[in-house]
Amino acid sequence: MAAAEPAVPVLPSGGGAGAPSGTVPVLFCFSVFARPSVVPHGAGYELLIQKFLSLYGDQIDMHRKFVVQLFAEEWGQYVDLPKGFAVSERCKVRLVPLQIQLTTLGNLTPSSTVFFCCDMQERFRPAIKYFGDIISVGQRLLQGARILGIPVIVTEQYPKGLGSTVQEIDLTGVKLVLPKTKFSMVLPEVEAALAEIPGVRSVVLFGVETHVCIQQTALELVGRGIEVHIVADATSSRSIMDRMFALERLARTGIIVTTSEAVLLQLLADKDHPKFMEIQNLIKASAPESGLLSKV
């Protein structure tokens, strides 16, 4: 769950009667419910969030975005909780789910990004359209991840029957290589790995098939509040129709559909980056278009 925290430094003052020493009575409102409780004097934003979770945790969708609001007597209505707010007198607060879709900026930084390489396996070679191109671009992305120190998670769909990741894909230094039967890459082990990486905001996703494992992975990640960048020139399906309709659908949901070169240069951000020459050497030859241009 993410909660907004606007910057309006207005604090109430005073104290609350009837509460245990050192605490202040607060009415916590969520949906149609209102539950009185107490918090320590001086409690701030984080403690209020914890109290909301303890009171309403079974009813709060942790994948939604919320705003905390304070009832302002002078306005006769709720206002967004001021930045730096500290409880000092009896008050009423509420947790409100945001109904509007927040704009995705699409910024990528190495410190907050993880690469997901999905099911680039030997048995898919004869079936996936432009598979050679997809392998080539996927390997380029993994090289870029190593250069920039970005964690990589790799999955293999039912490797007993479909084989391991193709030999052209160098898995040196990847964080995880996991077998799976679920189409989505969002496995318990993957969620645990993400939780171990501080500050993850974005996943760069590529592999096969676009309309199955890639699509389902992307939708699950977005549902967990993670921004997803799908590398169009590093993902494909057995059918070009399925590939293109999946990319179009995903783009309409707010998922970012991009290219390998755009991803690598966005992560680099500056010509003066110490790894600029290494990344430049990776992208010196343009990535193969893998049938994408004919569909533009």
Side-chain angles (χ1 to χ4, degrees), residues 97-232:
L98 294 175
Q99 303 298 325
I100 59 171
Q101 182 176 352
L102 298 183
T103 301
T104 299
L105 295 177
N107 290 324
L108 283 173
T109 58
S111 62
S112 63
T113 300
V114 178
F115 280 19
F116 276 27
C117 176
C118 183
D119 307 349
M120 303 276 270
Q121 293 160 255
E122 192 58 46
R123 286 288 293 275
F124 289 126
R125 190 185 296 271
I128 301 297
K129 300 293 186 186
Y130 299 99
F131 193 63
D133 290 349
I134 301 307
I135 292 172
S136 172
V137 179
Q139 173 60 11
R140 180 181 295 204
L141 288 166
L142 292 182
Q143 287 178 270
R146 280 193 294 274
I147 291 169
L148 296 172
I150 296 170
V152 177
I153 293 174
V154 179
T155 58
E156 297 174 342
Q157 180 73 17
Y158 186 55
K160 183 178 178 181
L162 297 174
S164 301
T165 301
V166 297
Q167 291 185 353
E168 298 97 315
I169 297 287
D170 182 1
L171 299 182
T172 301
V174 304
K175 185 174 181 65
L176 282 177
V177 180
L178 291 170
K180 67 182 179 71
T181 56
K182 180 182 177 180
F183 295 138
S184 169
M185 290 181 68
V186 185
L187 308 170
E189 299 92 332
V190 171
E191 293 191 90
L194 289 176
E196 293 173 0
I197 304 170
V200 172
R201 295 198 313 267
S202 308
V203 164
V204 171
L205 175 60
F206 55 97
V208 299
E209 286 184 74
T210 313
H211 67 296
V212 187
C213 298
I214 294 295
Q215 179 169 275
Q216 292 184 31
T217 300
L219 293 173
E220 277 207 61
L221 288 171
V222 167
R224 284 159 170 74
I226 295 176
E227 181 180 271
V228 179
H229 297 243
I230 294 179
V231 186

